Amino acid sequence: MNMNVAPGRVEAETRNVRLIADCDIHPTPNTTRDLYPWLDQRWRTHIETFGALRRQGVQQGPAYPKSQPDAARRDAWPEGGRPGSRLDFMQKQHLDANRVALGVLTTISPHPGAYQNPEMSAAFCRAVNEWQKAEWTAKDTRLKGSILVPYEHGDLAAAEIAHWAGDEDFVQILLLSRTVEPMGQRRYWPLYQAAQEAKLPIGVHAFGNGAHPITSSGWPSFYIEEMTGHAQTCQSQITSLVLEGVFERFPGLRIVVIEGGFAWLPPLAWRLDTHWTKLRAETPHLKRKPSEYIRDHVWITTQPMEEPQSRQHILDIFEWIGWDRLLFASDYPHWDFDDPARCLPIAISEDQAQRFFLDNALKLYGVDPAKAAAATLAA
Amino acid sequence: MTRHIVCAARDLPPGARKLVHLEGRPILVLNVKGEFHALLNICPHQGASLAGGILTGLVESGEPGDYRYSREGEILRCPWHGWEFDVKTGKSWCKPSRIRLKDYPVAVESGGALVEGPYVAETFPVSIDDDYVVVEVATARVAERGAAGG
Ligand code: FES
């Protein structure tokens, strides 16, 4: 029998073999004060004096912690800061280790887009956008920002999009999924018009406060119900976008469903098609079956991935949605993170993997593959 | 089988843990209330390093509205998605029969007993008055991967 003295150190390993695009990475300012360089004194004073009014229903406020402190992986806390607050830590733990060639930033805390005060909402969205550029995308060219917009105020949102249009540091517009009205309603159309003109997809990320209960049947008791409830929010948003004729009116519009799950998408499309054959006369502005609009206009990010008993079921769903519509997302640094090296329950072909992990995102977000590869090498 | 000295027992007091690499495998050694346990440090779900997880207790219930908290400090919660593992058995709480962490035999042996053994590694920091935590691992060249869970 041999006896060895155990070494205490474990080397960091590169967990992934291929270059990937990660379409849901959450940077976070440590505090609101981090945004002050990009806020007029008027708004600094305002937030310290009055705070930010959110559309929040009959509850105290958003629940935290969600499963883990700050809803984050326990190993994702940089020294002296919140998870997602320090670029160097994110680079080491995630971007480098997982070979991220394109990282799409989705700032959701804060996402001031639904603040009740329209001008305040616009000012804070602008500040977060400037902060993304100064602190993230300018410092690491693998990262691209999402434009936060005051999405409850269509004209202000359109103005924010127009302000950033053409800036290569930003690759999409970001909304939260719980809006005040279903997303197909006309109050949001100026936003869609501006997105189409700027040729930017619209990411719809789970969460937000639309003043309504977080499930369609009221306030639940458990966080797990909120997690599951994101699927119903996303379903009603896609239903609304299709049936209100948004995709008919804005044929260039592309919607990315982020963190809402996706296994519900095929049955939603089947149900809509079935109803449409009988109820078509109610919405004569629709020229095609609802499922066709969905296939043409909707992309999905795959985190959190449903984990069925039969792993084959996930593949069947991927097939229906289409290998050109799937975007890998990790949700780093949040607790329900998907590891690119381990998230797929079953082997897929090299071609499928290439599209799933990288090519679809580069194409959707208009990022040149050569530039993405160069950014990775430079990092 | 190879036995590895992890550290002096007094350097791993109750509640403490130590991550080591033995035979190419990351192994987490924990002292839970004076008992030592060694577990493969790869979460069977998506591979997180469990070393960063908290040791917590178990919430159980016979029926809605009735809750018991027990086994404080004996449940290791994965730092990523929160799967719970029983430190004593390596079994997961959600699917104990299918998903478990590999566990390794651990013993506490006196320095005196260790130096008497025939194949003592040269680097063994002998101070024969102390007790040492010793983990036994099958000799292997290739690191083990945790099984994919679902
Ligand atoms: S990796 Fe441990 S619970 Fe998912």
Side-chain angles (χ1 to χ4, degrees), chain B residues 111-127:
Chain B
L114 292 171
V115 276
E116 284 159 20
Y119 300 112
V120 176
E122 283 162 40
T123 48
F124 173 41
V126 183
S127 79

Side-chain angles (χ1 to χ4, degrees), chain A residues 5-322:
Chain A
V5 177
R9 199 169 56 91
V10 174
E11 268 115 57
E13 57 176 322
T14 302
R15 300 181 56 86
N16 207 42
V17 290
R18 64 176 70 247
L19 292 184
I20 64 166
D22 182 351
C23 300
D24 190 19
I25 297 179
H26 297 294
T28 305
N30 265 317
T31 75
T32 308
R33 283 171 187 274
D34 292 2
L35 303 174
Y36 279 11
W38 302 283
L39 278 170
D40 287 346
Q41 186 61 44
R42 185 253 180 283
W43 293 115
R44 296 184 208 172
T45 307
H46 187 105
I47 197 153
E48 286 179 12
T49 311
F50 306 103
L53 281 187
R54 283 167 213 189
R55 290 185 170 85
Q56 177 68 39
V58 287
Q59 262 209 339
Q60 252 188 331
Y64 265 94
K66 295 171 187 278
S67 179
Q68 315 249 38
D70 227 7
R73 275 170 50 172
R74 281 197 177 257
D75 57 356
W77 289 77
E79 194 125 1
R82 294 176 64 186
S85 66
R86 276 193 30 197
L87 175 62
D88 56 346
F89 187 88
M90 179 189 287
Q91 286 167 330
K92 190 157 171 281
Q93 185 171 53
H94 181 48
L95 304 179
D96 299 345
N98 288 319
R99 306 196 72 207
V100 176
L102 166 66
V104 180
L105 300 176
T106 45
T107 310
I108 61 165
S109 56
H111 189 316
Y115 285 3
Q116 190 76 7
N117 177 327
E119 282 71 36
M120 183 179 189
S121 182
F124 272 79
C125 283
R126 173 68 58 87
V128 174
N129 293 333
E130 297 278 11
W131 168 83
Q132 286 184 77
K133 196 169 162 80
E135 299 295 336
W136 299 88
T137 59
K139 292 182 177 170
D140 190 324
T141 53
R142 291 172 292 183
L143 296 174
K144 299 284 180 188
S146 297
I147 305 170
L148 270 57
V149 296
Y151 53 83
E152 295 300 348
H153 315 283
D155 292 337
L156 292 176
E160 189 63 18
I161 296 166
H163 177 83
W164 295 104
D167 186 324
E168 286 195 3
D169 279 2
F170 291 93
V171 292
Q172 77 179 341
I173 296 148
L174 189 71
L175 275 56
L176 296 179
S177 63
R178 296 193 198 115
T179 48
V180 170
E181 291 184 77
M183 277 177 63
Q185 303 278 318
R186 295 190 187 194
R187 63 186 290 163
Y188 303 109
W189 286 18
L191 195 167
Y192 304 144
Q193 176 76 42
Q196 180 168 275
E197 279 165 18
K199 297 191 170 56
L200 288 170
I202 295 178
V204 182
H205 189 290
F207 295 96
N209 305 112
H212 308 295
I214 60 178
T215 80
S216 59
S217 46
W219 293 99
S221 301
F222 303 112
Y223 173 51
I224 187 173
E225 294 178 86
E226 176 175 7
M227 286 295 285
T228 313
H230 290 310
Q232 40 170 277
T233 309
C234 292
Q235 290 185 58
S236 63
Q237 297 293 29
I238 290 177
T239 302
S240 172
L241 287 164
V242 170
L243 296 183
E244 297 279 354
V246 169
F247 296 130
E248 191 57 51
R249 173 134 187 152
F250 304 104
L253 202 60
R254 295 166 295 166
I255 299 288
V256 187
V257 176
I258 307 171
E259 212 179 328
F262 55 85
W264 44 263
L265 187 57
L268 175 72
W270 300 333
R271 194 174 180 93
L272 282 169
D273 282 0
T274 304
H275 291 325
W276 186 74
T277 56
K278 300 160 192 156
L279 303 171
R280 189 210 56 80
E282 188 190 12
T283 52
H285 50 270
L286 298 184
K287 303 286 186 284
R288 297 187 287 151
K289 288 193 293 186
S291 64
E292 293 177 26
Y293 292 108
I294 291 175
R295 282 179 187 275
D296 282 355
H297 293 273
V298 176
W299 278 252
I300 61 119
T301 66
T302 54
Q303 181 283 334
M305 205 174 294
E306 287 90 349
E307 297 179 18
Q309 289 273 307
S310 163
R311 296 167 181 199
Q312 180 62 35
H313 291 166
I314 281 290
L315 275 197
D316 293 344
I317 289 160
F318 279 177
E319 289 292 341
W320 189 93
I321 293 172

